[in-house]
Amino acid sequence: MKNSNNLLDGHQREGEWSTLGADLNYWIRHIRPVQWYPGHIAKTEKELKEQLKLMDVVIEVRDARIPLATSHPQMDAWLGNRKRILVLNREDMISTADRNAWASFFSHQGIKVIFANGKLGMGSVKLGRLAKSLAINVNSKRRSKGLLPRPVRAGIVGYPNVGKSSLINRLLKRRMCTAAPRPGVTRELKWVRFGKDLELLDSPGILPMRISDQTAAIKLAICDDIGERSYDVSDVAAILVQMLVRLPEVGSEPLYNRYKIDVDGNCGKTFIEKLSRQLFNGDANQAAFRVLTDFRKGRFGWNALERPPMVL
Ligand SMILES: Nc1nc2c(ncn2[C@@H]2O[C@H](COP(=O)(O)OP(=O)(O)OP(=O)(O)O)[C@@H](O)[C@H]2O)c(=O)[nH]1
């Protein structure tokens, strides 16, 4: 099987990304909607809104593979004028081209963005420095108003499983917060001291009340950012196959190379069925899990599932 990806020029690639969005919208109409909203999140959302009032700096963590799908629709309204640092975590799971595209998108918007790897600690020094420099600003403003300096409070917020606890542990160089490969592990809000000037708050992942944007929900499921019980694994894996085939930097070759199965008419469902017969005695669930796990482990290459919207 031949991959003609290298023949695509920049404009064609951008075009492919934008039509992928429309196709995804069409595909998801035919599957069971993803829904996940554990009880503790409702409680946390309420608490978090209270805690945000105490925060001088907000560090918003998103998954670098899906920076749009992991942005909370109410976050802007909640944050108001508070100083904000955007962290795109899991930078090891995207390509250099993805990273460059997102870096230039956010810099055009005047948003400070840090790419990080919560597992290995990349980006944490830069993040610590930036948070501390924003903290100094807060205290110089207090001094100019005749107020005493106080530790500045930085809160880390973001969707479940995007790597908030791992980043805090990296920043503090010790294990303060539980990091786990399952969404929804951090359950309560806690402040921890970072140097003499800063206090950090880790918070449980927050999701919007309802995931009304199903294209975002599917990407969250693919990236393991929401719990497994909220979606049908076979549907999600089938859509992942269709997305991979359409991603300009992936295509069907890595799928063929891994499983020796052709993608028939770009149909992900048929692909999963064939894989289930070939390896799992017809068990489509197991086949679907295999494809999702392989994607999450980078077996088809490290690639983002989103690119910045095209600016016309
Ligand atoms: N490959 C990779 N894995 C990461 C990175 N950051 C975190 N992880 C892993 O992702 C999983 C989730 O990380 P956590 O730090 O627990 O995420 P969280 O946002 O605190 O999760 P909640 O408690 O559910 O809100 C863990 O298994 C981490 O080891 C990263 O940059 N790259």
Side-chain angles (χ1 to χ4, degrees), residues 89-93 116-120 158-167 178-187 202-206 302:
N89 192 44
R90 298 178 182 274
E91 69 155 350
D92 53 313
M93 300 176 112
N117 178 339
K119 217 167 172 176
L120 298 180
Y159 274 37
N161 219 34
V162 293
K164 299 177 297 300
S165 301
S166 306
L167 274 173
T178 325
R182 296 182 308 283
V185 167
T186 309
R187 295 262 160 144
D202 188 14
S203 61
I206 37 160
W302 291 119

Side-chain angles (χ1 to χ4, degrees), residues 60 75 85 92 118 136 149 179 207 227 240 253 264 274 284-285 294:
E60 189 195 352
M75 194 56 80
I85 303 170
D92 53 313
I136 290 168
L207 283 173
L240 170 62
E253 195 174 61
D264 250 357
K274 281 188 183 170
N285 249 24
D294 280 349

Side-chain angles (χ1 to χ4, degrees), residues 27-301:
W27 297 333
I28 54 157
R29 279 190 220 149
H30 305 282
I31 62 166
R32 175 165 80 84
V34 175
Q35 191 53 273
W36 187 57
Y37 199 78
H40 75 271
I41 283 193
K43 184 168 152 266
T44 308
E45 192 163 294
K46 206 162 144 255
E47 282 172 2
L48 185 72
K49 275 193 270 179
E50 286 302 306
Q51 297 275 352
L52 276 171
K53 293 181 192 153
L54 302 172
M55 291 179 195
D56 304 295
V57 177
V58 174
I59 300 168
E60 189 195 352
V61 185
R62 297 190 199 170
D63 186 327
R65 293 168 296 176
I66 45 173
L68 301 177
T70 46
S71 76
H72 194 294
Q74 274 142 290
M75 194 56 80
D76 284 343
W78 289 343
L79 293 191
N81 291 331
R82 244 163 235 106
K83 292 188 192 309
R84 174 186 197 162
I85 303 170
L86 177 61
V87 177
L88 296 190
N89 192 44
R90 298 178 182 274
E91 69 155 350
D92 53 313
M93 300 176 112
I94 61 170
S95 69
T96 312
D98 295 325
R99 186 193 158 111
N100 292 343
W102 283 110
S104 97
F105 174 74
F106 285 115
S107 94
H108 275 105
Q109 297 192 6
I111 297 175
K112 285 190 173 71
V113 61
I114 290 177
F115 288 88
N117 178 339
K119 217 167 172 176
L120 298 180
M122 265 78 103
S124 61
V125 173
K126 198 170 165 193
L127 175 59
R129 233 185 274 136
L130 188 55
K132 279 181 178 161
S133 77
L134 293 179
I136 290 168
N137 276 349
V138 171
N139 270 327
S140 49
K141 273 201 189 127
R142 283 180 67 83
R143 259 188 228 103
S144 69
K145 290 184 196 159
L147 297 168
L148 286 173
R150 58 155 173 77
V152 170
R153 299 183 201 102
I156 305 217
V157 302
Y159 274 37
N161 219 34
V162 293
K164 299 177 297 300
S165 301
S166 306
L167 274 173
I168 289 207
N169 292 336
R170 282 287 160 186
L171 274 173
L172 300 172
K173 297 194 179 67
R174 59 181 190 266
R175 188 171 287 271
M176 291 293 298
C177 308
T178 325
R182 296 182 308 283
V185 167
T186 309
R187 295 262 160 144
E188 52 195 46
L189 301 166
K190 53 181 165 197
W191 290 101
V192 283
R193 202 60 183 251
F194 178 47
K196 63 178 172 28
D197 302 320
L198 211 58
E199 276 178 356
L200 288 176
L201 173 72
D202 188 14
S203 61
I206 37 160
L207 283 173
M209 273 302 195
R210 274 160 34 90
I211 307 176
S212 52
D213 178 354
Q214 280 293 315
T215 59
I218 281 285
K219 292 177 204 163
L220 291 170
I222 291 173
C223 293
D224 202 17
D225 289 337
I226 48 176
E228 265 158 32
R229 266 174 296 171
S230 62
Y231 54 89
D232 182 299
V233 208
S234 304
D235 282 347
V236 170
I239 287 199
L240 170 62
V241 168
Q242 290 169 201
M243 286 184 81
L244 291 174
V245 173
R246 296 287 312 279
L247 289 187
E249 269 119 27
V250 185
S252 46
E253 195 174 61
L255 285 162
Y256 181 78
N257 288 347
R258 187 144 187 88
Y259 312 117
K260 301 291 174 272
I261 297 173
D262 272 321
V263 191
D264 250 357
N266 288 354
C267 179
K269 205 163 180 230
T270 314
F271 187 88
I272 300 293
E273 276 162 11
K274 281 188 183 170
L275 182 62
S276 72
R277 284 198 295 274
Q278 184 167 301
L279 287 186
F280 301 102
N281 254 337
D283 186 333
N285 249 24
Q286 280 196 45
F289 264 118
R290 172 64 63 86
V291 172
L292 286 172
T293 308
D294 280 349
F295 168 76
R296 293 166 186 163
K297 287 185 176 166
R299 302 283 193 254
F300 313 121

